[in-house]
Amino acid sequence: MIKPEEVYRIGRLGKAHGVKGEVSLQFDDDVFDRVDADYLVLEIDGILVPFFIEEYRFRSDNVALMKFEGIDSQERARELTGCDVFFPRALADDEDDNPSLSMLVSFDIVEAHKGIKVGRIAAIDDSTVNLLFELEDGTLIPANDDLITDIDMAKKQITMNIPKGLLEL
């Protein structure tokens, strides 16, 4: 059984495409193209289920047409519409030392000077030029490289120099 902490969300499946079982994948992270992955994980009725990739092709910078093994008709592809798509952290960990923003969701933020946990990242706000870590309590912290002192993938922890007074806002 795949556990939620073993994967991270990279996108969502859209409409079926054509009659041979292709489905559009709207993605935030193209890690599936950068890493040699045989499968993606879909959330179906609250359960994380692996689907093996038969083939895919890019339609734009953030949409790919995905063909999964065993999904051979438009009707079967429609059943997957709206499913969240996840990628295995274990495969992404091997990719490189620069994790994608999507992969950082659920990491803890630790203040560098005091060594205390500030909170856990619930989402990444990339709606503006300035990226923000949105913590579970609603606090927003700039996701600026100058503030990040360390990213520990094993501990799922980001150590940051948080500007004085930011947490009191």
Side-chain angles (χ1 to χ4, degrees):
M1 180 173 207
I2 300 172
K3 298 176 184 162
E5 60 270 11
E6 296 174 339
V7 296
Y8 68 98
R9 187 180 181 282
I10 62 168
R12 177 178 280 258
L13 293 180
K15 296 179 180 178
H17 181 81
V19 295
K20 296 186 179 181
E22 282 185 318
V23 64
S24 65
L25 166 60
Q26 297 153 352
F27 58 88
D28 301 319
D29 186 344
D30 66 350
V31 66
F32 62 91
D33 189 49
R34 297 189 315 266
V35 175
D36 188 22
D38 295 329
Y39 67 96
L40 295 176
V41 178
L42 306 184
E43 184 176 21
I44 300 176
D45 297 328
I47 299 170
L48 296 172
V49 181
F51 278 77
F52 287 88
I53 301 168
E54 193 170 299
E55 63 183 10
Y56 64 89
R57 56 193 162 105
F58 289 98
R59 193 156 193 206
S60 69
D61 288 344
N62 60 353
V63 176
L65 297 177
M66 189 70 59
K67 174 75 174 77
F68 294 111
E69 289 181 12
I71 307 298
D72 295 323
S73 69
Q74 187 177 38
E75 292 76 28
R76 292 275 294 137
R78 275 194 200 125
E79 294 172 7
L80 302 177
T81 298
C83 288
D84 283 331
V85 180
F86 297 84
F87 195 79
R89 286 187 186 274
L91 294 177
D93 286 345
D94 296 337
E95 180 193 6
D96 62 287
D97 294 330
N98 276 332
S100 68
L101 288 173
S102 302
M103 192 173 180
L104 300 178
V105 171
S106 82
F107 274 44
D108 290 326
I109 299 286
V110 174
E111 205 288 319
H113 298 294
K114 297 177 184 172
I116 59 170
K117 177 181 167 182
V118 174
R120 178 165 287 160
I121 299 172
I124 307 292
D125 181 348
D126 61 355
S127 61
T128 66
V129 174
N130 300 314
L131 294 173
L132 299 169
F133 293 134
E134 183 179 336
L135 304 186
E136 290 174 340
D137 67 0
T139 303
L140 298 174
I141 298 177
N144 186 305
D145 287 341
D146 295 337
L147 300 178
I148 297 172
T149 60
D150 183 53
I151 299 175
D152 188 327
M153 299 303 289
K155 290 182 181 178
K156 294 176 68 174
Q157 179 176 298
I158 301 171
T159 306
M160 298 182 71
N161 286 319
I162 299 173
K164 193 172 189 172
L166 181 70
L167 298 176
E168 285 81 37
L169 294 176

